[in-house]
Amino acid sequence: MKHLLTFLVILFLCPASSQAQTQLDSEARAINNYVIFSNESAHGMLIIHRLLELYNQEINKYVDLPQYQLNLFSNEDFPENIFQDESGSFYRISPSDLYAMAIKESAILPAKYATPANTIIGNMKAILDDLEKERYSIGTLIANTDLKQRSNLKNIYAALDACVLKYDEFESQRKQLSILLSKFSGEAKKNDAFNKSFVVPFNNYSTSLHLTFDALRRENTSSAVNSMSTLIKNAKTLKQALSIVDTKALNKQQASVLNELKTILDKQIGHVEAFSKNQSIPAEYDQYGPCYYFYNILLAGTTNKYGTGVIERGNEWIKINGRTFEYQFERPHFYKVIRPKEIIEEEKKVAVQEPPKVVENREVVADKSKLITSSVEKLLIEVYDNQEFDHDTISLNFNGTWILQKQLITKEPIRLYLTLEKGKDNYLILYADNLGSIPPNTCAIKWKNEKGKFNEIVLKSDYNTSEMVVIRRE
């Protein structure tokens, strides 16, 4: 009778225990979908980061800074959307598909985690979409405008500045996501042997790693060096944990990942120890400074997937051991624009003048119903041909400066950033360089309002008049 009761207890308890474990595993996979989306997005952002550096170096040579070749590829090497990757050239699963997967599988999670997490990755995806547009738009401006004209250079600098903000905002969203997901932890896993032997030291290492990244991103060298002592300590603790793994019990794939993880961890420890003592950098990065160089090249290069980094290999170590612990975040690059002093001084002197009544012997006309209002300092506009393509060529004058000259407009928008002076009426004037095959010359201007919705106006110009729109920064 006693044995029968024992059997019945096991019979009824085991299915419940199995169901609970299945639930935990499904939740961990759903959480990891968010992390993988962020990490794979960072890989695509690396490509755009390199292109933006190339653009910056390219325009600096037209002023007074030397040009260094920081990479050997161009926009033409990436003809398709980097984050959709329809040809499968860059990812096993693209960020676009990972986003859809994360949204779909989040249904297993409590709404208090899934709802805000889905909002955050939606914001991250919107940033990726913007960066994809920017890399084409800036490339088009560099290829098709006269870079000896200062106004054209300044317009490109403004577009690059906007990309700085996008990289900063992506990192801000990633941090919010990381904090949110850290609150969702599997209590039942704390006593797991794998958790104690690897996950705990791996997580501790990751925490100190991101603190060092934070200090480097602030470009605070002394703070970064101070944070590195904890990073080195936790990295060596992780190294010790890996050294006691029973390699005889591993299969070929596990042995390979473990060896790669040990190797890259050693390499990273060496980089961090060296930087702690001496912050010398290659000449081509002098303009950017030691923190930028160490963050983007040496630390990210031994952390992320493209460098077979510690975080990427650590996540893989969890995966191939059949475990469903939460993965750790890789770190997106940070970006900054290098400006010649000459350009900086010129930009300080810009002031809005009264709108002209005549431009290039043509009357300036304005429709008062067409008014753009904005609260932002830098307003993004998209300029394109909203009607039948008829080879219209235009110039745009913003606050007395030509920001586009003799530019063919098509259905593909040209993205421009306008620096608005507060408390004054800024103005944008359309000048027709030709009338195309269907007069008059028309040009659509699209901008995003404070609610995130797009507005559009259409300006017209011919050989007698040039239409102007007032842009008011509130």
Side-chain angles (χ1 to χ4, degrees), residues 27 125 128 155 256:
E27 289 175 346
K125 184 176 181 298
L128 300 181
N155 196 31
S256 175

Side-chain angles (χ1 to χ4, degrees), residues 123-135:
N123 295 338
M124 295 168 79
K125 184 176 181 298
I127 293 169
L128 300 181
D129 292 340
D130 264 356
L131 284 172
E132 178 66 20
K133 292 176 183 177
E134 289 293 1
R135 62 116 172 175

